[in-house]
């Protein structure tokens, strides 16, 4: 299927590895020009090199990169100094640490809200009017399956990402929807990423169980009996950015292998 977005420009955050990089890869494969952003300069440059190498043939795309902290005003200013207008924006920031809510002070909450709620809102605010003026825009916020099925040790993430979800529910149904701009949230469940492996290692250290045993137990709880792959996550993101997804907005698209047990 031709997604109809070749030649568009996308801003992809947290794109040096994992799910963010997978989204950038899927977009580049469709001929979308990308500006990828992450904090780690060396890893980001390696990712950009990989994307450039993959961009060949009829869907050849431009690849730019900017190593900044997108959660800061200075980082966002640096990004928009490179390019001001985008047709596609994929917001993505690493989740806050796990823990006991009794241990989180105001600073911990503010940091979580800044990264996982206010930064996506700032990126939306900076880009949607240009999208509306051009008659096409796609914003995909990578959040978490914990928005639908909260996990107690992910309280910081549950709270901040739920705040973003509430905001998107309103703005996605504003007049922007009639101007060709869609805003959706993409909720990953258990995907085979560095973050998942890191969490498993942390749990193994606390429980004394092996990482393999914990991973096997986790997979058995998922109806699909496996973890998701970055490639399939990127493909979902690319579809939501496509011309074919213009009638999908204000939605929380859950990709979790069937782990969420609810009907709605």
């Amino acid at each position: 299927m031709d997604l109809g977005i070749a030649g568009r420009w996308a801003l992809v955050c947290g794109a040096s590895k994992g799910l963010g990089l997978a989204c950038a890869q899927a977009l580049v494969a469709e001929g979308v020009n990308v500006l990828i952003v992450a904090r780690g300069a060396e890893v980001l440059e390696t990712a950009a090199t990989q994307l450039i190498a993959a961009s060949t043939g009829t869907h050849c795309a431009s690849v730019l990169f900017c190593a900044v902290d997108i959660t800061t005003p200075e980082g966002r200013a640096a990004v928009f100094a490179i390019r001001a207008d985008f047709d596609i924006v994929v917001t993505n920031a690493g989740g806050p640490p796990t823990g006991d809510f009794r241990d989180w002070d105001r600073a911990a909450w503010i940091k979580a809200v800044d990264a996982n709620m206010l930064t996506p809102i700032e990126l939306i605010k900076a880009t949607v009017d240009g999208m509306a003026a051009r008659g096409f825009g796609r914003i995909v916020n990578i959040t978490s399956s914990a928005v639908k099925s909260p996990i107690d040790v992910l309280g910081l993430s549950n709270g901040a990402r739920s705040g973003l979800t509430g905001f998107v529910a309103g703005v996605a149904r504003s007049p922007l929807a009639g101007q060709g701009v869609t805003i959706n949230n993409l909720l990953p469940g258990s995907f085979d990423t560095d973050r998942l492996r890191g969490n498993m290692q942390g749990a193994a250290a606390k429980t004394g169980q092996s990482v393999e045993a914990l991973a096997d137990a986790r997979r058995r709880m998922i109806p699909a009996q496996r973890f998701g792959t970055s490639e399939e996550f990127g493909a979902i993101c690319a579809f939501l950015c496509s011309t074919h997804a213009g009638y999908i907005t204000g939605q929380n698209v859950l990709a979790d292998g069937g782990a969420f047990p609810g009907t709605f």
Side-chain angles (χ1 to χ4, degrees):
M1 178 186 291
D2 182 350
L3 298 188
I5 48 178
R8 299 284 187 181
W9 269 97
L11 170 63
V12 186
C13 303
S16 62
K17 57 184 178 180
L19 301 182
L21 176 57
C23 293
Q25 289 169 329
L27 290 170
V28 165
E30 292 297 322
V32 177
N33 307 307
V34 298
L35 170 54
I36 59 172
V37 180
R39 286 173 293 182
E42 185 176 346
V43 179
L44 183 65
E45 185 171 359
T46 299
T49 301
Q50 294 171 350
L51 290 172
I52 292 168
S55 178
T56 58
T58 57
H59 279 175
C60 187
S62 297
V63 178
L64 304 176
F65 63 95
C66 184
V68 295
D69 183 351
I70 197 70
T71 68
T72 67
E74 297 79 11
R76 292 189 291 275
V79 166
F80 290 118
I82 295 173
R83 185 175 180 87
D85 295 322
F86 294 94
D87 307 296
I88 295 165
V89 174
V90 180
T91 76
N92 178 37
T98 61
D100 187 322
F101 76 93
R102 299 171 185 82
D103 299 327
W104 297 325
D105 58 12
R106 176 179 173 79
W109 278 106
I110 293 299
K111 185 176 181 180
V113 170
D114 265 342
N116 299 118
M117 178 182 174
L118 297 182
T119 292
I121 291 173
E122 289 293 337
L123 294 173
I124 292 169
K125 184 170 70 173
T127 57
V128 289
D129 289 334
M131 293 175 177
R134 295 186 297 274
F136 179 91
R138 299 288 185 265
I139 293 174
V140 177
N141 303 299
I142 300 176
T143 63
S144 171
S145 62
V147 171
K148 280 188 70 74
S149 185
I151 301 169
D152 61 347
V153 296
L154 295 180
L156 290 171
S157 178
N158 297 340
R161 296 190 195 278
S162 293
L164 174 64
T165 303
F167 169 80
V168 167
V171 74
R173 294 169 174 85
S174 74
L176 290 166
Q179 295 170 293
V181 180
T182 69
I183 310 175
N184 293 290
N185 305 313
L186 182 48
L187 286 55
S190 297
F191 278 78
D192 188 9
T193 62
D194 288 346
R195 180 170 173 80
L196 178 66
R197 288 187 288 271
N199 289 343
M200 292 284 185
Q201 290 166 357
K206 289 181 180 179
T207 63
Q209 300 181 64
S210 70
V211 172
E212 292 76 12
L214 290 172
D216 285 341
R218 182 82 166 265
R219 279 189 287 263
R220 285 196 295 271
M221 295 175 65
I222 302 170
Q225 296 290 291
R226 65 178 178 87
F227 298 137
T229 69
S230 295
E231 291 78 11
E232 58 193 342
F233 186 87
I236 298 169
C237 179
F239 176 77
L240 289 174
C241 296
S242 75
T243 58
H244 308 294
Y247 209 53
I248 301 173
T249 195
Q251 301 304 305
N252 294 293
V253 179
L254 182 62
D256 71 345
F260 178 67
T263 302
F264 303 108

